[in-house]
Amino acid sequence: MCAWMAGRTAAAPRGPRGPWLCLLVAFALDIVRVDCDQDPLDPVYLPAALGLLDAPEHFRVQQVGRYPPANSSLGSRSETFLLLQPWPRAQPLLRASYPPFATQQVVPPRVTEPHQRPVPWDVRAVSVEAAVTPAEPHARVLFHLRGQDWPPGPGSLPCARLHATHPAGTAHRACRFQPSLGACVVELEFPSHWFSQGSATRAELAYTLEPAAEGPGGCGPGGEEDPGEQALPVGSVELRPADPPQHQEVPLDEAVTLRVPDVPVRPGQLFSATLLLRHNFTAGVLTLRIKVKKGLHVMAARLAQPTLWTAKLERFKGSKHHTTLITCHRVGPVEPNSSSPLELSEFLWVDFLVENGTSGGVAVTRPVTWQLEYPGQAPEAEKDKMVWEILVSERDIRALVPLAKAEELVNTAPLTGVPRRIPVRLVTVDSGGALVEVTEHIGCESANTQVLQVSEACDAVFVSGKESRGALGVRVDFWWRRLRASLRMTVWAPLLPLRIEVTDTTLEQVRGWRVPGPAEGAREPEAAGVEEAERRARGCRLQYQRAGVRFLVPFAAHPLDGGRRLTHLLGPDWLLDVSHLVAPHARVQDPRVASLEGGRVLVGREPGVTSIEVRSPLSDSILGEQALAVTDDKVSVLELRVQPVMGISLALSRGTAHPGEVTATCWAQSALPAPKQEVALSLWLSFSDHTLAPAELYDHHDLGLSVSAEEPGAVLPAEEQGAQLRVVVSGAGTEGLPLHVALHPPEPCRRGRHRVPLASGTAWLGLPPAPTSAPALPSSPARSSSPAPGASVGGGRWAAGSMGGSGDVRGKFEQTEEEARKEEAEAREEEEEEGEEEMVPAPQRVTDLELGMYALLGIFCLAILIFLVNGVVFVLRYQRKEPPDGATDPASPQPHNWVWLGTDQEELSRQLDRQSPGPPKGEGGCPCESGGGGEALTLAQAQAPPTGATTSSSGTLARKEAGGRRKRVEFVTFAPAPPAQLPEEPVGAPAVQSILVAGEEDIRWVCEDMGLKDPEELRSYMERIRGSS
């Protein structure tokens, strides 16, 4: 649920309501995360060692997401093993140990079928004949022991008894396994009345195993009774009333065919070859030339129709070959035949004889060369020769059978780089049940080299790691002489990538736990005045959490037809533990962050992010990877879960998913201890991040463990023989004995608050008392001011088993009450003075990802700074200017800058008239004359400029005296005058920076446009202008 909600946050909409939806999703995710944090703790198990002895090939298996199994607890553990190769020599043992206790049991025999009882031997049964006839009424079955080798001598091998069931009755016969090959053949003869049914019938074959008996045959006479459900099936054999022919036909040309026997012949045996002619053969003469090696003779030639043909036999002897010439002449007319002209009919029989002693006990081939000549034969066929090889053997060989040590192969070569081989032997089955191994002139071929390969000597099948798939029933063909046989194998291939299971993928610092060894980059102070305790404390480093690592992979077989449906070993939810195979090729990508100890324990070193990866030893590709993180966040050890172990019990059971599946369950015995009995304590550390870890993950030099009892002298330290904490108990009462266990930092790193135990737990030997209301646990056990719980009885306390930094087990002898209080007070004072613990932080390492992020962040900050500077400059440059001093009155209108583009003096005057109030009467005027002499209107002095002002009116008048109406640009800056002005014009009064003075024509034009024709009116208007300026 938590992972689903975390994944849904990435799909939040980005529309206008996107931010609100993201906020709601984040709130819901926070609520779900709180619920997830309240999930139950990880399951625990008894960390006892379970292993198989005398088992050639086996794996630990587990179901997906079910480790440890549901039936595991603090005092028990369950493991499932898969045994792939059977074990005929000795039954394997399964051993459970938790030092100093151990026990073992014999693994129960395999179960080949769910409804059958276990058998101690893994036997393969091969039926040699598929059908029998009255001429050869023998059914032969080969029994072969698979698995590891067995000791020489016939005393340890069993007998196999074959049972044949027919509607007409039953038949039984037994054989004893031969020590050389681990195989035997039962040749069972069927009664003659079984073939009198008139049609083909079937007989069912089954077998049972029984101990060998003393005597010449080695097997007892029993077995006449019905075997019932104890018999293992072999198959069925067909009973035919007639003997089927065993020959093959070879054409010599289009009209003549040769029929030869297809069975090996023995020395001294007489056999025949038949010549067949088509019905449309019309030639009158036919010559047959036969060439044979020494040891084989042509005895006679017999015609099928002596009335129509005559035959003449001639022999020619050579140094190495004998040649026989058979000439046939037609003596009668060709009779008409209504049958098809392409049908064949027998024409000539040629008898051969094999000499005695020609094979030397070994099967050999004798070539026979045939050449045919007759009139009308095709020219290209006259020189054709056909060579037929006859297999001559002193033995009556019935079949060729490959014997493999196992028919199931788990292809671990891609994981280890080591090829996997299964030896194969080829044997021949003779008439009478004899077995002979074949080692020469053998041919072999694998039907699918992408699944399984065969060696050049045909003595083994193997996988090299280059195969790409598995298969059920992949075929490997073998042949020797004319005999052929096939071997079917099942190959399981790993489905990559590997699954790397880590009990905790985020390793954090353990608060208050420091272990010997300086931190990386930290130097030891060399000052002479430093106290020994401080020097030792500074020589300690932080302790990070540890985690267990397992490497798992499923194995499957692909269909032979190229389909996609896989068949999984044990089932689709089962994984094989291949940690012992891939641990040498597993490593942590950044060893500064974490390390892998023994391929099974992950140890945090310094904060960072890295991954565990497994590389292929063949191609250096990554077979599996798991990310992990080491952080400097602090976690506390909440409590110790303690389980006393006073013995180990073991139970084994067989599974039904596979014949080699075995489940082992062991549990700790915690009954009332006897006097002077040794007790081992199994410890689990419970952390505040809801993770659990067995104490076996941590180095015993880093664990400071102490055990105390309420009764003085009840607990004594045991001799150290490993990392487990063990004590000797003098005895317990009827209500049991409580043992209080406390976890401290190792002795060299105990200073100040580090003398306080990190966590504690209680274990009961025997039956605990009636449950009472337990006090609430402190929020941080590391801040508790009392050591491991213990009661003061008789003025003293006994503590045992302090496993410190040196790993030795020492006892704290009895102390007085005052000394104990004094030590507690000193520890409390040191804690108050020290405040926060002095920890040497691990050096921070900047990764490439962090460097890139920091560079990107710097670029963003620089862009923001440039934007701010640009905005400030813009504001300072383009802010509005301050108004003039004269316009400081808020009630007065703001001044404006006017730019006039044009020659319309009337409009200009109107604008000036609107902006300036009328001047007082009697203040100056503008003389205007309407005479036409062109006399200029001059203004002697408009207004005296203030002191210090530059006079530029003369230059302005000189530039403007030119008559005419021209375009000009005139800039006038003005401000409204205050309401009341003194005659003497105060300093802050506005001043006209430029005065418009025009010639007579201009003034007259202005007067006409404004309707001011009277000079007095014009003078009054000009005075108003002057007054406003």
Side-chain angles (χ1 to χ4, degrees), residues 1 49 98 285 306 313 366 505 570 648 684 813 820:
M1 177 64 182
Y98 193 84
V285 180
L313 181 64
R366 297 295 183 185
T505 56
L570 289 180
I648 291 291
W684 279 77
F813 296 97

Side-chain angles (χ1 to χ4, degrees), residues 898-916 965 970 972 974 996 1002 1005-1011 1021 1025:
W898 292 88
V899 178
W900 176 255
L901 299 176
T903 57
D904 193 351
Q905 297 296 334
E906 180 183 1
E907 184 66 17
L908 176 62
S909 300
R910 291 178 182 175
Q911 295 294 336
L912 294 176
D913 190 24
R914 292 172 184 172
Q915 296 295 333
S916 60
R965 301 178 61 178
E970 294 149 358
V972 179
F974 57 91
L996 177 64
D1002 293 334
W1005 167 72
V1006 171
C1007 293
E1008 292 176 356
D1009 289 344
M1010 297 181 62
Y1021 175 76
I1025 293 176

Side-chain angles (χ1 to χ4, degrees), residues 59-232:
F59 292 90
R60 297 175 187 264
V61 296
Q62 72 176 62
Q63 287 184 291
V64 177
R66 296 185 183 179
Y67 187 85
N71 58 349
S72 298
S73 64
L74 194 63
S76 65
R77 181 177 188 176
S78 181
E79 289 279 357
T80 302
F81 296 88
L82 180 65
L83 290 85
L84 295 175
Q85 291 188 3
W87 49 94
R89 179 171 58 184
Q91 295 292 330
L93 299 176
L94 203 151
R95 178 182 174 87
S97 63
Y98 193 84
F101 309 105
T103 184
Q104 62 186 17
Q105 285 188 16
V106 176
V107 176
R110 295 165 63 96
V111 178
T112 56
E113 297 293 338
H115 64 279
Q116 294 168 352
R117 67 175 186 174
V119 293
W121 303 91
D122 187 13
V123 177
R124 176 193 175 204
V126 180
S127 181
V128 175
E129 279 88 9
V132 294
T133 62
E136 287 288 340
H138 298 90
R140 299 175 183 88
V141 177
L142 181 145
F143 297 96
H144 173 230
L145 293 176
R146 294 179 295 187
Q148 62 182 348
D149 297 331
W150 46 86
S156 60
L157 298 180
C159 289
R161 186 170 298 275
L162 181 64
H163 307 273
T165 304
H166 190 265
T170 59
H172 311 272
R173 191 165 185 180
C175 70
R176 187 171 183 177
F177 288 93
Q178 302 176 12
S180 58
L181 295 174
C184 69
V185 176
V186 174
E187 189 175 64
L188 179 60
E189 183 179 358
F190 294 153
S192 59
H193 65 274
W194 287 15
F195 297 92
S196 61
Q197 303 292 330
S199 60
T201 58
R202 305 196 71 86
E204 298 296 331
L205 303 179
Y207 74 96
T208 56
L209 297 178
E210 57 188 42
E214 297 182 0
C219 298
E224 299 299 330
E225 66 279 357
D226 186 8
E229 295 183 356
Q230 300 179 3
L232 301 175

Side-chain angles (χ1 to χ4, degrees), residues 673-696:
K676 304 301 180 181
Q677 181 177 354
E678 190 171 2
V679 178
L681 299 178
S682 171
L683 305 178
W684 279 77
L685 282 65
S686 176
F687 295 97
S688 58
D689 61 347
H690 300 280
T691 59
L692 291 165
E696 283 76 9

